[in-house]
């Protein structure tokens, strides 16, 4: 599957590059004929979209199998009371210690 994905990415990028080259060539052709450039031909748009789709499918195939996100497995061992408890957000070393280092420690202001 990975080799197929890489081939699809290669052909997708190749199609997008060819569509870009065709767009530049079309503009140059219109300039040589001294005609007004209105828009690109439909086949260039189709080629660009197909190249993008091939590239996207190829990238998904190269990425491999996705793992399922299981939040329930971690939460199964916790009680409802501990859900609000987030010890990873506790900070004991903060700038308050340095800011109030000069205050008296007696507890009265």
């Amino acid at each position: 599957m990975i080799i197929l994905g890489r081939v699809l990415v290669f052909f997708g990028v190749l199609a997008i590059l060819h569509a870009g080259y065709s767009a530049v060539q079309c503009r140059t052709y219109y300039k040589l004929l001294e005609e007004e450039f209105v828009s690109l031909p439909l086949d260039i748009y189709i080629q660009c979209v197909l190249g993008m789709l091939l590239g996207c499918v190829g990238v998904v195939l190269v990425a491999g199998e996705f793992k399922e996100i299981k939040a329930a497995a971690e939460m199964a061992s916790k009680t409802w009371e501990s859900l609000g408890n987030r010890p990873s957000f506790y900070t004991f070393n903060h700038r308050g210690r340095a800011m109030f280092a000069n205050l008296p420690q007696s507890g009265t202001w």
Side-chain angles (χ1 to χ4, degrees):
M1 277 305 209
I2 293 177
I3 294 174
L4 175 65
R6 290 182 181 180
V7 169
L8 288 177
V9 168
F10 175 75
F11 282 116
V13 169
L14 191 68
I16 291 174
L17 288 175
H18 186 267
Y21 178 75
S22 298
V24 170
Q25 190 176 13
C26 180
R27 280 197 68 119
T28 306
Y29 178 72
Y30 281 133
K31 283 182 183 179
L32 286 174
L33 292 179
E34 296 178 353
E35 291 183 10
E36 183 181 341
F37 179 75
V38 179
S39 70
L40 292 173
L42 184 62
D43 63 333
I44 296 176
Y45 287 118
I46 292 172
Q47 186 177 10
C48 191
V49 169
L50 287 178
M52 184 190 68
L53 290 176
L54 278 176
C56 287
V57 170
V59 165
V60 168
L61 290 177
V62 168
E65 293 185 25
F66 295 113
K67 293 182 180 179
E68 186 177 340
I69 299 173
K70 295 182 181 180
E74 182 182 334
M75 301 304 286
S77 62
K78 296 186 178 183
T79 62
W80 283 102
E81 291 83 24
S82 66
L83 288 179
N85 187 13
R86 296 185 181 111
S88 60
F89 289 106
Y90 291 167
T91 49
F92 297 106
N93 294 326
H94 51 80
R95 68 184 115 166
R97 182 178 293 168
M99 285 175 47
F100 300 111
N102 299 354
L103 292 179
Q105 300 293 328
S106 64
T108 58
W109 300 86

